[in-house]
Amino acid sequence: MSEGLRVTVEQSGPIPLSAEFSCAPGEVLALVGPSGSGKSTILRAIAGLYRPASGRIQCNGDLWFDASAGLAVPPHRRSVGLVFQSYALFPHMTALDNVKAALAHRPPKEHSERARALLRLVHLDGLEDRKPAALSGGQQQRVAVARALARDPAVLLLDEPFSAVDRRTRRSLHRELRELRTAVSMPILLVTHDLDEAADLADALCVLDRGETLQTGPTAEVLSAPASARVREALDIPLEDSA
């Protein structure tokens, strides 16, 4: 598969990793597993913020990391949109300016129009001039997604993006993510501890434990037929629920 994202990362420590998976354009792949299973570390490796001891990361035919060849493309040269759990917005900037800050790769005359278009895409029309402190948690999350998309990424990485909002807002954001995936055809990786969220949003699951890929496959298949007792334990599925 030349299109989409392909990831293989290996190391014995300090954070053990033995993970391998792929994600096609337009697909949502959820990385699931207990705390400390390496989910966020893998996202950071894809973004170029962490360098594993061994492995290979390729997106749409572009090689971003190849340990055997000594290749590690720096983060600013990887076409990645990353949304953190904390959103990491600039508090002194408006929503519009937060998005414009990610548009340095485009001509300055395009910045305002493009930023406004992205804020419309995430349903923030009319809130362009508000600073993060004047936005709800869900609205801040939308700004963070718009800013990630401003980089014109080849892949979108979401690291527990809905964990800081209430259940009602989370349902609304889930609906908007489903809408968004139809507007942007790129691989989307979602890190989540919430199996209901993964079942609602993801086409496929990659189950991780202690940095190791235990099972990958269509979401319904993995949840209904865990491949082993270790997968059931990683997913916290009682034995009788997987029969």
Side-chain angles (χ1 to χ4, degrees), residues 29-73:
L29 173 68
L31 305 184
V32 296
S35 297
S37 59
K39 301 183 297 293
S40 294
T41 300
I42 291 170
L43 284 200
R44 293 176 63 231
I46 295 168
L49 303 174
Y50 181 82
R51 185 170 180 172
S54 180
R56 182 181 172 94
I57 298 171
Q58 183 175 349
C59 187
N60 294 341
D62 294 329
L63 194 56
W64 290 346
F65 175 68
D66 188 341
S68 63
L71 173 67
V73 174

Side-chain angles (χ1 to χ4, degrees), residues 20-196:
E20 182 175 3
F21 58 84
S22 62
C23 186
E27 181 180 44
V28 177
L29 173 68
L31 305 184
V32 296
S35 297
S37 59
K39 301 183 297 293
S40 294
T41 300
I42 291 170
L43 284 200
R44 293 176 63 231
I46 295 168
L49 303 174
Y50 181 82
R51 185 170 180 172
S54 180
R56 182 181 172 94
I57 298 171
Q58 183 175 349
C59 187
N60 294 341
D62 294 329
L63 194 56
W64 290 346
F65 175 68
D66 188 341
S68 63
L71 173 67
V73 174
H76 68 275
R77 290 182 51 212
R78 300 191 189 195
S79 185
V80 170
L82 177 59
V83 178
F84 296 97
Q85 182 177 351
S86 63
Y87 311 143
L89 300 177
F90 297 116
H92 63 290
M93 290 185 177
T94 65
L96 185 68
D97 288 338
N98 262 280
V99 179
K100 287 168 66 174
L103 287 165
H105 62 291
R106 285 182 174 234
K109 64 181 181 180
E110 297 181 7
H111 289 187
S112 183
E113 181 180 353
R114 177 60 175 162
R116 290 180 185 277
L118 288 168
L119 288 171
R120 284 196 300 273
L121 181 65
V122 296
H123 305 289
L124 287 180
D125 308 63
L127 301 181
E128 296 89 347
D129 295 330
R130 290 195 188 182
K131 294 181 179 178
L135 297 170
S136 69
Q139 290 166 342
Q140 290 182 50
Q141 193 265 2
R142 293 179 178 95
V143 176
V145 170
R147 186 181 60 183
L149 293 174
R151 297 194 62 196
D152 297 317
V155 61
L156 183 62
L157 309 178
L158 306 175
D159 192 359
E160 294 276 3
F162 310 118
S163 61
V165 297
D166 60 74
R167 184 177 296 275
R168 181 177 179 180
T169 302
R170 191 178 301 129
R171 286 197 299 267
S172 176
L173 292 172
H174 285 184
R175 183 170 59 252
E176 291 175 15
L177 179 59
R178 288 193 292 270
E179 294 174 2
L180 179 67
R181 63 179 293 182
T182 67
V184 293
S185 182
M186 67 182 73
I188 299 176
L189 262 62
L190 170 68
V191 163
T192 180
H193 285 88
D194 187 336
L195 272 189
D196 289 336

Side-chain angles (χ1 to χ4, degrees), residues 214-215 225-233:
L214 302 184
Q215 184 177 357
S228 67
R230 189 177 170 194
V231 173
R232 286 195 298 272
E233 184 177 353

Side-chain angles (χ1 to χ4, degrees), residues 197-216:
E197 182 169 271
D200 186 32
L201 295 174
D203 302 293
L205 300 186
C206 175
V207 184
L208 297 160
D209 184 36
R210 296 191 293 276
E212 180 183 350
T213 297
L214 302 184
Q215 184 177 357
T216 59

